[in-house]
């Protein structure tokens, strides 16, 4: 049986129709596309309307809202993730018995309270290995201890070395969370990012793993149905079971969540590796190149890694232009884990050298957020803000594997110049960038916007005005010396090889024409 108790069984190597072949003339070359960066079959998969759209900054509010949504689900929930830990608390700030607040207990309570509800959890197979290291029982054993309508399964349908990296939760095909936050340990934190917190403690060990910054998004309506289609496709690929869309469910939205926008177009962009009969999809990489090519004033990026040479070279090209954009990147001080730091840290150092040499006009900065005691805050968020034109929140990192080896899902909204709500959407896009920087710089709301205005539109000048030598703030990232071994790792990319065709020149030509300069909202 599958999570909704119906459907047919198919084999895990589901063949999915191929996208437009690389090299064909596609929508990106269509003059009718105007100045848009989101183009179906090129930089995104689909664009659908969201009745409501919200963004959660850091996991505390997201987990609390997810708990509410899970308990209110009517027919089906799919949790699709890189990692999953049923022992984590969902809303520790609310009080009550801790065991009743744990994710596994919340899922069990949801299916027991509603006999029509089926819940499916799909977890990357090596993510399960990480869980075993944290003392988590194997997910196959969890499945034996839970109600029949709560299904745990492991996703092995990926290339050797690849990961299922999407972080998606879909509820009744009418509500969908998608972004960078895994429903697992070490993710819970508040925007205050205290130096220490008992609420941030790991299950079992009760060890505080430190401050963690992350972002995810929430949509309802047709956009949620689109993400539901993607989740059901992944479920079928990973488990070999077909699920029909949920129908006949009333529109839903969590109580108390204020939408950032209503009635807005939302684009879904993917990475899907070539594997088991499925063709390569690298819409996310092409969107990265398009936003670099199309940025007019400012490109703001929060990313766990800065390790993709193709995007770094594109940024270097723009920095060399006399009227190119400012580029601000937020990164963690070092990667999570020894091997990741060897691979991603060496690549970051080499690419920073490349970018900084090209930055003849002083328009590039990389910062690390720190706590009150100047402890680095780990940046796991994957956010891109292009001028006041585009906001992207997703699972993809700025490294090679996110472009062609791992499965990824990014969700974006874009301002349309000919839309009657252009100003409202532009203000929301720019406001989210400033909201993030208000948090990192520990300043009052709207202070970043005021500083940018004082600086004549320069985001870098505003950050430099507001950042402080003590307490919560941003600190410049100091590029380390690579050394001979690091240089070899960076040059060979042996631990994170490129796997996709290079489309930069085509995309630069097409999307670069779309950046006629205009004042920010």
């Amino acid at each position: 049986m599958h999570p909704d108790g119906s459907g047919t069984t198919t084999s895990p190597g589901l063949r999915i129709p191929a996208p437009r072949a690389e090299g064909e003339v596609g929508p990106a070359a269509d003059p009718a596309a105007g100045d848009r960066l989101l183009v179906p079959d090129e930089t995104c998969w689909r664009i659908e309307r969201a009745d409501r759209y919200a963004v959660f900054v850091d996991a505390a509010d997201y987990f609390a809202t997810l708990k509410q949504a899970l308990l209110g689900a009517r027919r089906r929930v799919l949790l699709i993730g890189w990692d999953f830990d049923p022992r984590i608390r969902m809303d520790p700030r609310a009080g009550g018995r801790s065991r009743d607040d744990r994710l596994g207990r919340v899922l069990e309570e949801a299916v027991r309270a509603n006999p029509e509800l089926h819940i499916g959890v799909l977890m990357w197979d090596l993510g399960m290995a990480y869980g075993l290291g944290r003392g988590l029982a194997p997910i196959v054993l969890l499945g034996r201890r839970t109600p029949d309508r709560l299904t745990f399964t492991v996703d092995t349908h990926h290339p050797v070395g690849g990961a299922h990296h999407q972080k998606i939760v879909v509820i009744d095909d009418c509500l969908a969370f998608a972004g960078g936050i895994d429903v697992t340990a070490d993710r819970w934190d508040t925007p205050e990012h205290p130096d220490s917190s008992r609420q941030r403690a790991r299950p079992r060990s009760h060890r505080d793993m430190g401050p963690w910054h992350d972002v995810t998004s929430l949509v309802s309506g047709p956009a949620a149905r689109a993400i539901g289609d993607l989740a059901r496709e992944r479920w079928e690929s990973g488990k070999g079971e077909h699920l029909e869309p949920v129908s006949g469910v009333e529109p839903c939205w969590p109580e108390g969540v204020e939408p950032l926008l209503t009635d807005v177009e939302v684009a879904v962009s993917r990475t899907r590796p070539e594997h088991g009969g499925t063709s390569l999809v690298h819409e996310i990489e092409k969107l990265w190149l398009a936003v670099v090519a199309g940025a007019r004033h400012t490109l703001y990026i929060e990313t766990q890694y800065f390790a993709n040479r193709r995007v770094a070279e594109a940024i270097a090209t723009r920095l060399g232009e006399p009227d190119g954009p400012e580029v601000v990147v937020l990164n963690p001080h070092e990667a999570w884990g020894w091997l990741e730091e060897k691979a991603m840290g060496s690549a970051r150092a080499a690419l920073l050298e490349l970018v900084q040499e090209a930055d003849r006009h002083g328009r590039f900065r990389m910062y690390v957020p720190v706590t009150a005691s100047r402890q680095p805050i780990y940046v796991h968020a994957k956010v891109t803000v292009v001028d006041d034109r585009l906001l992207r929140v997703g699972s993809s990192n700025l490294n090679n594997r996110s472009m062609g080896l791992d499965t990824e899902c990014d969700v974006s909204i874009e301002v349309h110049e000919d839309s009657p709500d252009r100003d409202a959407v532009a203000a929301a896009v720019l406001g989210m960038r400033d909201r993030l920087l208000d948090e990192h710089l520990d300043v009052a709301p709207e202070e970043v916007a005021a500083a940018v205005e004082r600086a004549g539109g320069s985001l870098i000048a505003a950050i430099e005005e507001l950042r402080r030598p003590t307490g919560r703030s941003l600190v410049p990232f100091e590029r380390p010396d690579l050394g001979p071994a690091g240089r070899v790792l960076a040059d060979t990319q042996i631990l994170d090889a490129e796997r996709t065709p290079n489309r930069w020149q085509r995309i630069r030509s097409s999307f670069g024409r779309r950046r006629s300069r205009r004042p920010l909202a």
Side-chain angles (χ1 to χ4, degrees), residues 103-288:
L103 175 60
R105 183 63 66 90
V106 171
L107 295 176
E108 292 174 2
E109 175 60 27
V111 295
R112 286 182 179 133
N114 183 357
E116 296 184 351
L117 179 63
H118 293 77
I119 298 177
V121 180
L122 183 66
M123 177 182 181
W124 177 47
D125 53 353
L126 290 183
M128 184 182 69
Y130 283 99
L132 294 176
R134 298 193 307 267
L136 177 64
I139 206 164
V140 292
L141 296 183
L142 289 174
R144 297 177 184 174
R145 303 173 185 172
T146 56
D148 291 341
R149 290 175 286 111
L150 175 52
T151 303
F152 296 87
T153 193
V154 174
D155 188 349
T156 62
H157 186 64
H158 52 75
V160 175
H164 174 62
H165 198 245
Q166 295 165 342
K167 298 97 165 57
I168 297 171
V169 181
V170 180
I171 296 174
D172 292 329
D173 281 350
C174 71
L175 197 67
F177 300 88
I181 307 181
D182 302 283
V183 188
T184 190
D186 305 335
R187 302 305 192 261
W188 193 95
D189 206 354
T190 64
E192 291 73 31
H193 300 300
D195 285 290
S196 62
S197 171
R198 295 183 62 184
Q199 295 174 328
R200 225 164 37 201
R202 267 188 174 181
R204 190 180 184 185
S205 73
H206 306 296
R207 179 185 175 191
D208 179 5
M209 298 303 291
W212 188 281
H213 172 66
D214 228 328
V215 179
T216 198
S217 65
L218 172 63
V219 296
S220 65
R225 174 61 65 91
I227 296 172
D229 291 345
L230 182 61
R232 283 183 276 103
E233 174 189 296
R234 189 64 205 174
W235 181 269
E236 186 165 357
S237 294
K239 187 168 173 59
E241 294 177 330
H242 177 73
L243 301 175
E244 294 294 334
V246 175
S247 60
V249 175
E250 294 293 324
C252 53
W253 187 258
E255 184 179 350
V257 175
E258 185 70 25
L260 181 66
L261 290 165
T262 59
D263 193 25
V264 63
E265 286 189 349
V266 172
V268 179
S269 302
R270 306 164 298 167
T271 297
R272 187 187 69 206
E274 183 178 1
H275 178 69
T278 60
S279 56
L280 171 69
V281 172
H282 63 125
E283 297 151 354
I284 284 172
E285 180 179 43
K286 289 184 281 188
L287 180 55
W288 269 114

Side-chain angles (χ1 to χ4, degrees), residues 455-479:
S458 170
L459 184 62
I460 290 175
I463 292 171
E464 289 300 310
E465 175 195 331
L466 294 174
R467 70 183 190 88
R468 300 188 295 265
T470 59
R472 280 279 305 277
S473 196
L474 291 173
V475 299
F477 177 77
E478 300 292 338
R479 175 165 54 90

Side-chain angles (χ1 to χ4, degrees), residues 55-59 62-63 80-83 164-169 177-188 212-218 302-304 378-384 392-397 402 407-411:
V55 175
F56 292 92
V57 180
D58 303 308
Y62 165 47
F63 282 2
I80 311 288
W82 180 88
D83 194 10
H164 174 62
H165 198 245
Q166 295 165 342
K167 298 97 165 57
I168 297 171
V169 181
F177 300 88
I181 307 181
D182 302 283
V183 188
T184 190
D186 305 335
R187 302 305 192 261
W188 193 95
W212 188 281
H213 172 66
D214 228 328
V215 179
T216 198
S217 65
L218 172 63
E302 295 188 357
T303 176
Q304 187 179 6
Y378 194 79
V379 177
H380 190 260
K382 302 93 168 60
V383 178
T384 310
R392 173 172 64 177
V393 175
S395 66
S396 69
N397 288 307
S402 279
T407 57
E408 305 282 8
C409 173
D410 289 3
V411 175

